[in-house]
Amino acid sequence: MHEIKHIFRVNGEPFFPLGGQVHNSSGYNLAELEAAFKALELMDANTVEIPVYWYQVEPEEGRFDFSVLDDLLAGCRAHGLKLMLLWFGTWKNGQMEYTPNWVKSDQERFRRVVTPAGYTIPVLSSQCEENRLADERAFTALMRAVREKDAEEKTIIAVQVENEPGILGCDRDYGEDSTAAFHSAVPAELVEQVAGHPGTPIHAAWEGAGARREGTWPQLFGWQAGEFMTAWQIAHYIDSLAAAGKAIYDIPMSINVWLGDGGHRIAGKYPSGGAVTRVLDLYKWNTPHIDVIAPDIYAADSASYRFECEHYGREDNPLFIPESAPGGSNARNMFYALGAYDAIGYFCFGIESMLDESGAVRPISREVVESFRAARQALPLLLQYQGTGNVYAVVQEEHAGGQTIDMGDYVAWVRYADSDQPYPRGYLYPRGGGPDGFDRARGLIVRAGEREFYLAGGPFRVIFKRKPAPDAELTPAMAAELLSDELPDFQMVEEGSLDDSGNWQPRHWRNGDEVTGGLWVDVKSGLVRVILTR
Ligand code: DGJ
């Protein structure tokens, strides 16, 4: 049992944002937004992420125009959606594309990163105070506008500060000032933080370089010094914006991360100084005004996907995934995040492209859309049971036929639809039609009481068996004995849904052929609620 840090709230109650992010340049284009709203409706989403661009809201220095917020708010309210705003300011994917022209054209005042070869790249330097001040003025103006336009209705539930910050191109700014900082003493505060946290990647780097208490960045951190210094600067830069913004309008704020892919790429190939795993601790120590640091997980293979979930979902940082793939294996992987890593919010990116010209879901996105619909049904259960040990992810890895879940006093034997057993036995799919093939299974099993279970997702079927003694170790012999018959022993099996208050609304009562061979669930059946006899 552990506590889930519910950062997102609506009317003071924990809220699970589930939805999508629009394409980068859709925020000011109402026609494109309509396609996004259509996709969100098909996904059964409750929240949308939309960027606000610095160049758009401050076309001339000091002249602000936030009328775009009126359109965004009207659109979201009309579609019954919550909104997460993304501030495209100093950084967008480790570059400065969304800064205003008056920033881009004054390189003396708004200094850029200089590479080791001595040329500048289109990335603003975190070493330059003018950059930070200009961004802070714009960001605080945005927060004032949000307060003015939304303090009452609270359609906006959170703000992401910058987008995938860092330097794309090299590990640090090699300009004069920054190089001087690099060869100056590492702040004592950071040395204390690092020395006090053995077991963290940054501590290992510090130890490897001799565990010195005083010295320059390269003396203390060796070859990783450039990335660490940039991370230190950017963490402080963004936190100062968040602090100033929250002083105006207190709302959850996040930072998203272009991942460094487990450490086998060098900084600069991904935005250096962003909150990748090796500097995540540094960020957590130095961004007290940021509520969550959130990985953009596009990994298709489940091992990489789970690696990121494991590293970002931690006691001081609940797992929040603001971007993921709008197709492919994300249809399954997302249930690892929701079921095994207690994600508190989940989005996929580029939702307009899930639909074809006629507004229908493209084949490549069908499974993801269906997974989002299944997840939406389970949100009241996630809010209630995450952290209790009663939420289980079902994910069919390639070629797998099933999985066995040890629930302590129960064993859940999950068989996927395309395993050796016919599925669902005696039951035509979906009541009257037959598929040509089966999707790979994905979903959730939630235990809501001693003998009460919910199934979401699909296509899979489950046999629950009580162990001879609670918490007895599940041996192969015991499994064989328990599973020697496949007869579900239940009092009630129903299809239905949960209303917003979490009350069960049954729709269809299953028995006879519909339960022979196991308790099955499919994305089209909605939630299945099961009460076992014993
Ligand atoms: C991650 C960025 O945060 C998004 O703005 C977008 O560029 C996607 N990558 C594209 O995959």
Side-chain angles (χ1 to χ4, degrees), residues 21-22 24 86 88 92-93 160 163-164 256 258 296 298 323 349:
Q21 182 174 142
V22 300
N24 287 165
L86 317 175
F88 283 14
K92 161 67 175 77
N93 297 22
Q160 176 186 291
N163 193 82
E164 295 190 343
N256 68 328
W258 173 330
D296 293 340
Y298 287 88
E323 289 182 40
F349 177 82

